[in-house]
Amino acid sequence: DANGCIASDSMVIDVLTVDITQNDTTICEGDSLVLAAGPFSGSLNNGLVAYYPFNGNANDESGNENHGISSFTTATNNRFGVPNSAFNFNGVELGNGSTIEINHSLFNIGQNEYTIHFWFRPDDLTQTTKTFFNTIPHTGLAMTFNNNNSPGYTSYLLGPANAMWDYYYIHGSFNSFQTTDWYSLALVKQGTTFYKYINGVLENTFSAPSSASYDYDVQLRISGISSDVQIFHGDIDDFGIWSKALTSQDIQQLYSGSQNYTYNWSPGG
């Protein structure tokens, strides 16, 4: 200025790569839209059956309305430290155990492809035989933590749902879990082959030829094999189900993706 003073200012702009879909052909001034940029983009939106971000409730945010019923869970921080963005399960058995029951047919246990992915953080490494999720009926698919038959590991069981299990306690080599850390866990079915990923890395591949004859629509329970048995003790978040086999690149994207972002935009102001 005239006194020889110089001033400057700056701002930081974060540019996010997102997919935005808007089906309206006409948007009038004064109309409001909510543009959501979540962890799922591109191919991850295809075949999405249900998605539970656990933002204070057990609602399905995929748009398919496969909402869950939450019992004795507690809202907690997610892996980014955001409050009310995950659920803690209390590990209590024989009464008042934390579960989420999804009383909707989510997939057929014998369909050619499906994927289940979620994040978890254990509260207790000494408690044994805890279950992350289990189909309803019980003997279709279950994924367990620190089971007595596979101590220290995450493992899964497979069956036809309307008869007894065919395959028990399938697991890989990873068993270095800590109560302070979050873990990404995925199970992918492609034909009669199952792929298990931990933190975006393929940990186990398993061939289950008997699964070719399975044919039963299943519902799901998150935590426990019933309302009061094998209740998981710890946090679970971002539980997703797809009707297709996610690729290794998809699984890596789920592992490395960031938290949800939601932006409000009103045309003309």
Side-chain angles (χ1 to χ4, degrees), residues 133-254:
F133 68 86
N134 188 197
T135 56
I136 305 170
H138 166 55
T139 54
L141 171 64
M143 183 162 277
T144 73
F145 180 73
N146 200 27
N147 193 282
N148 280 331
N149 296 282
S150 53
Y153 298 95
T154 58
S155 62
Y156 62 99
L157 301 86
L158 300 171
N162 58 353
M164 285 305 296
W165 301 107
D166 285 325
Y167 306 99
Y168 296 82
Y169 311 113
I170 307 154
H171 65 83
S173 59
F174 186 89
N175 62 354
S176 301
F177 296 102
Q178 303 295 326
T179 58
T180 54
D181 294 336
W182 282 86
Y183 301 91
S184 163
L185 188 57
L187 183 67
V188 179
K189 179 183 188 290
Q190 189 167 34
T192 58
T193 303
F194 291 77
Y195 304 89
K196 180 168 169 282
Y197 294 81
I198 293 182
N199 288 347
V201 177
L202 180 63
E203 188 220 19
N204 173 263
T205 301
F206 182 78
S207 177
S210 294
S211 64
S213 64
Y214 297 169
D215 183 13
Y216 203 96
D217 292 337
V218 295
Q219 302 173 5
L220 203 71
R221 177 183 297 105
I222 300 175
S223 177
I225 63 172
S226 71
S227 61
D228 57 5
V229 177
Q230 297 187 17
I231 305 301
F232 179 66
H233 193 189
D235 301 337
I236 296 179
D237 194 21
D238 288 333
F239 198 105
I241 304 169
W242 288 258
S243 61
K244 66 175 185 176
L246 296 188
T247 66
S248 58
Q249 291 81 8
D250 291 331
I251 299 298
Q252 181 58 224
Q253 183 178 342
L254 288 170

Side-chain angles (χ1 to χ4, degrees), residues 10-15:
S10 64
M11 69 173 60
V12 177
I13 300 176
D14 290 332
V15 179

Side-chain angles (χ1 to χ4, degrees), residues 7 24 37 41 43 63 68 103 122 127 141 179 181 209 219 228 235 245 256 263:
D24 291 342
S41 62
S43 63
N103 298 317
Q127 292 182 330
L141 171 64
T179 58
D181 294 336
Q219 302 173 5
D228 57 5
D235 301 337
S256 60
Y263 298 94

